[in-house]
mmCIF file of all heavy atoms in Angstrom:
data_model
loop_
_atom_site.group_PDB
_atom_site.id
_atom_site.type_symbol
_atom_site.label_atom_id
_atom_site.label_comp_id
_atom_site.label_asym_id
_atom_site.label_seq_id
_atom_site.Cartn_x
_atom_site.Cartn_y
_atom_site.Cartn_z
ATOM 1 N N GLY Y 89 74.057 196.985 205.308
ATOM 2 C CA GLY Y 89 74.685 195.731 205.711
ATOM 3 C C GLY Y 89 73.710 194.813 206.434
ATOM 4 O O GLY Y 89 72.552 195.156 206.675
ATOM 5 N N ALA Y 90 74.205 193.638 206.778
ATOM 6 C CA ALA Y 90 73.350 192.631 207.382
ATOM 7 C C ALA Y 90 72.805 193.068 208.754
ATOM 8 O O ALA Y 90 71.698 192.715 209.118
ATOM 9 C CB ALA Y 90 74.116 191.338 207.518
ATOM 10 N N THR Y 91 73.602 193.839 209.501
ATOM 11 C CA THR Y 91 73.096 194.279 210.805
ATOM 12 C C THR Y 91 71.825 195.087 210.605
ATOM 13 O O THR Y 91 70.829 194.861 211.312
ATOM 14 C CB THR Y 91 74.180 195.166 211.498
ATOM 15 O OG1 THR Y 91 75.360 194.391 211.662
ATOM 16 C CG2 THR Y 91 73.710 195.679 212.845
ATOM 17 N N ASN Y 94 68.949 192.765 209.483
ATOM 18 C CA ASN Y 94 68.445 191.921 210.591
ATOM 19 C C ASN Y 94 67.582 192.760 211.552
ATOM 20 O O ASN Y 94 66.506 192.301 211.948
ATOM 21 C CB ASN Y 94 69.601 191.288 211.365
ATOM 22 C CG ASN Y 94 70.315 190.262 210.523
ATOM 23 O OD1 ASN Y 94 69.789 189.743 209.564
ATOM 24 N ND2 ASN Y 94 71.569 189.951 210.894
ATOM 25 N N HIS Y 123 74.351 185.332 215.100
ATOM 26 C CA HIS Y 123 75.245 186.494 215.153
ATOM 27 C C HIS Y 123 74.614 187.529 216.089
ATOM 28 O O HIS Y 123 73.390 187.612 216.203
ATOM 29 C CB HIS Y 123 75.395 187.042 213.733
ATOM 30 C CG HIS Y 123 76.375 188.198 213.670
ATOM 31 N ND1 HIS Y 123 75.972 189.486 213.715
ATOM 32 C CD2 HIS Y 123 77.727 188.205 213.569
ATOM 33 C CE1 HIS Y 123 77.027 190.272 213.610
ATOM 34 N NE2 HIS Y 123 78.113 189.499 213.538
ATOM 35 N N SER Y 125 73.937 190.476 215.742
ATOM 36 C CA SER Y 125 72.997 191.388 215.109
ATOM 37 C C SER Y 125 71.570 190.813 215.061
ATOM 38 O O SER Y 125 70.620 191.542 214.890
ATOM 39 C CB SER Y 125 73.471 191.819 213.720
ATOM 40 O OG SER Y 125 73.659 190.684 212.918
ATOM 41 N N ILE Y 170 70.438 181.549 211.342
ATOM 42 C CA ILE Y 170 71.652 181.824 210.553
ATOM 43 C C ILE Y 170 71.841 180.685 209.569
ATOM 44 O O ILE Y 170 71.632 179.514 209.899
ATOM 45 C CB ILE Y 170 72.847 181.990 211.511
ATOM 46 C CG1 ILE Y 170 74.036 182.624 210.837
ATOM 47 C CG2 ILE Y 170 73.255 180.675 212.172
ATOM 48 C CD1 ILE Y 170 75.101 183.155 211.819
ATOM 49 N N ASN Y 174 78.893 182.033 211.532
ATOM 50 C CA ASN Y 174 80.095 182.834 211.303
ATOM 51 C C ASN Y 174 81.283 182.391 212.148
ATOM 52 O O ASN Y 174 82.433 182.604 211.794
ATOM 53 C CB ASN Y 174 79.830 184.332 211.550
ATOM 54 C CG ASN Y 174 79.192 184.586 212.891
ATOM 55 O OD1 ASN Y 174 78.113 184.119 213.188
ATOM 56 N ND2 ASN Y 174 79.881 185.352 213.728
ATOM 57 N N ASP Y 199 69.811 184.843 208.227
ATOM 58 C CA ASP Y 199 70.988 185.682 208.103
ATOM 59 C C ASP Y 199 71.969 184.830 207.265
ATOM 60 O O ASP Y 199 72.594 183.888 207.760
ATOM 61 C CB ASP Y 199 71.553 185.960 209.509
ATOM 62 C CG ASP Y 199 72.834 186.746 209.461
ATOM 63 O OD1 ASP Y 199 73.370 186.969 208.358
ATOM 64 O OD2 ASP Y 199 73.311 187.133 210.539
ATOM 65 N N THR Y 201 74.622 185.941 205.711
ATOM 66 C CA THR Y 201 75.855 186.741 205.489
ATOM 67 C C THR Y 201 77.075 185.871 205.190
ATOM 68 O O THR Y 201 77.907 186.246 204.394
ATOM 69 C CB THR Y 201 76.115 187.609 206.745
ATOM 70 O OG1 THR Y 201 74.921 188.322 207.039
ATOM 71 C CG2 THR Y 201 77.240 188.572 206.555
ATOM 72 N N GLN Y 202 77.164 184.724 205.855
ATOM 73 C CA GLN Y 202 78.333 183.870 205.630
ATOM 74 C C GLN Y 202 78.070 182.807 204.543
ATOM 75 O O GLN Y 202 78.910 181.941 204.317
ATOM 76 C CB GLN Y 202 78.741 183.173 206.955
ATOM 77 C CG GLN Y 202 79.193 184.131 208.038
ATOM 78 C CD GLN Y 202 80.554 184.770 207.777
ATOM 79 O OE1 GLN Y 202 81.280 184.341 206.873
ATOM 80 N NE2 GLN Y 202 80.903 185.765 208.535
ATOM 81 N N SER Y 222 75.734 190.900 203.684
ATOM 82 C CA SER Y 222 76.655 192.059 203.599
ATOM 83 C C SER Y 222 77.686 191.805 202.501
ATOM 84 O O SER Y 222 78.236 190.735 202.372
ATOM 85 C CB SER Y 222 77.436 192.181 204.909
ATOM 86 O OG SER Y 222 76.772 192.953 205.853
ATOM 87 N N HIS Y 224 80.725 192.931 202.176
ATOM 88 C CA HIS Y 224 82.157 192.828 202.494
ATOM 89 C C HIS Y 224 82.565 191.396 202.869
ATOM 90 O O HIS Y 224 83.752 191.109 203.070
ATOM 91 C CB HIS Y 224 82.565 193.798 203.589
ATOM 92 C CG HIS Y 224 82.026 193.499 204.957
ATOM 93 N ND1 HIS Y 224 82.810 192.879 205.918
ATOM 94 C CD2 HIS Y 224 80.839 193.700 205.524
ATOM 95 C CE1 HIS Y 224 82.095 192.749 207.035
ATOM 96 N NE2 HIS Y 224 80.884 193.239 206.821
ATOM 97 N N LYS Y 225 81.594 190.480 202.951
ATOM 98 C CA LYS Y 225 81.946 189.085 203.210
ATOM 99 C C LYS Y 225 82.185 188.337 201.924
ATOM 100 O O LYS Y 225 82.639 187.208 201.917
ATOM 101 C CB LYS Y 225 80.828 188.374 203.989
ATOM 102 C CG LYS Y 225 80.421 189.089 205.272
ATOM 103 C CD LYS Y 225 81.423 188.933 206.395
ATOM 104 C CE LYS Y 225 80.841 189.535 207.649
ATOM 105 N NZ LYS Y 225 81.715 189.392 208.801
HETATM 106 N N1 PMP O 29 75.643 188.249 210.345
HETATM 107 C C1 PMP O 29 76.721 187.466 210.248
HETATM 108 C C2 PMP O 29 76.549 185.986 210.202
HETATM 109 C C3 PMP O 29 77.990 188.055 210.179
HETATM 110 O O1 PMP O 29 79.053 187.280 210.084
HETATM 111 C C4 PMP O 29 78.098 189.445 210.229
HETATM 112 C C5 PMP O 29 79.456 190.108 210.186
HETATM 113 N N2 PMP O 29 80.339 189.621 211.140
HETATM 114 C C6 PMP O 29 76.938 190.206 210.320
HETATM 115 C C7 PMP O 29 75.723 189.561 210.356
HETATM 116 C C8 PMP O 29 76.950 191.686 210.369
HETATM 117 O O2 PMP O 29 77.383 192.234 209.185
HETATM 118 P P1 PMP O 29 77.699 193.781 209.074
HETATM 119 O O3 PMP O 29 78.661 194.094 210.164
HETATM 120 O O4 PMP O 29 78.294 193.942 207.700
HETATM 121 O O5 PMP O 29 76.396 194.504 209.250
#
Side-chain angles (χ1 to χ4, degrees):
T91 300
N94 291 339
H123 184 264
S125 57
I170 195 164
N174 52 299
D199 176 353
T201 308
Q202 296 289 348
S222 272
H224 71 100
K225 306 286 186 178

